[in-house]
Amino acid sequence: MGEGDDAVSSNVATVTITIQETEDIIPFYYVDMQSSWANYSASHLADMGIMVGENYNGEYFFKPNTLVKRSDFVIAMLSVLNISVDDSLQTTFKFADDSDIADWLKPYAYTAYEEGIIKGSLENGKLYFNGDKNITRAEAATIINNSI
């Protein structure tokens, strides 16, 4: 090549590319999730012990169309965040519906409140836990945002 030529030369190289198809690992088997787009996520949540579904005669069902209670979501969030729940937690604050909250659930509700994960639902100037009510996407988003 002479002066002024625009050509560029280099050493010759051989490149080999191997494409392998990999299958997503599903660590937990749900009978009712095999054709669901959410199977991968649901099985990994179960494998981590965060949300396990229900066991019927040795088979697990996720029940993807079942509505989630606010209390169940709070328990799952505390687990995801690895926040220990103190059964002896004493708080001066009480939700207005404290008498409706099961004794076993109170440590979860008040731990989530003390950690700032939940703030309660304001009704007539009082804060309610409303653990038995279904959680809305907006409420779930708020709880997740409070957890960041």
Side-chain angles (χ1 to χ4, degrees):
M1 289 198 296
E3 220 172 287
D5 287 345
D6 290 337
V8 176
S9 65
S10 70
N11 293 332
V12 176
T14 302
V15 177
T16 303
I17 299 174
T18 304
I19 299 174
Q20 293 179 317
E21 286 190 39
T22 59
E23 188 174 314
D24 288 336
I25 296 172
I26 307 295
F28 196 90
Y29 184 84
Y30 283 115
V31 173
D32 58 345
M33 292 294 287
Q34 296 309 298
S35 61
S36 172
W37 60 269
N39 188 31
Y40 179 85
S41 298
S43 73
H44 281 272
L45 287 172
D47 190 50
M48 291 184 281
I50 295 170
M51 191 177 292
V52 179
E54 297 180 23
N55 183 344
Y56 297 108
N57 297 323
E59 293 185 316
Y60 283 88
F61 294 82
F62 188 77
K63 297 187 173 185
N65 296 321
T66 300
L67 299 174
V68 177
K69 301 285 184 206
R70 292 167 54 102
S71 57
D72 293 331
F73 192 80
V74 165
I75 291 169
M77 283 303 301
L78 290 171
S79 179
V80 166
L81 297 169
N82 201 25
I83 295 175
S84 297
V85 175
D86 184 359
D87 290 338
S88 64
L89 178 66
Q90 299 295 318
T91 179
T92 56
F93 169 78
K94 297 292 183 199
F95 287 107
D97 58 343
D98 188 76
S99 62
D100 296 333
I101 303 172
D103 287 339
W104 67 267
L105 179 58
K106 286 180 183 181
Y108 294 91
Y110 287 107
T111 297
Y113 179 82
E114 292 291 327
E115 292 288 331
I117 295 168
I118 61 171
K119 294 180 171 72
S121 298
L122 186 61
E123 299 171 22
N124 299 322
K126 296 179 181 177
L127 287 177
Y128 290 79
F129 178 59
N130 290 328
D132 288 335
K133 289 189 177 180
N134 296 327
I135 194 164
T136 66
R137 287 183 179 187
E139 290 167 336
T142 299
I143 291 172
I144 292 169
N145 184 61
N146 291 344
S147 302
I148 297 174

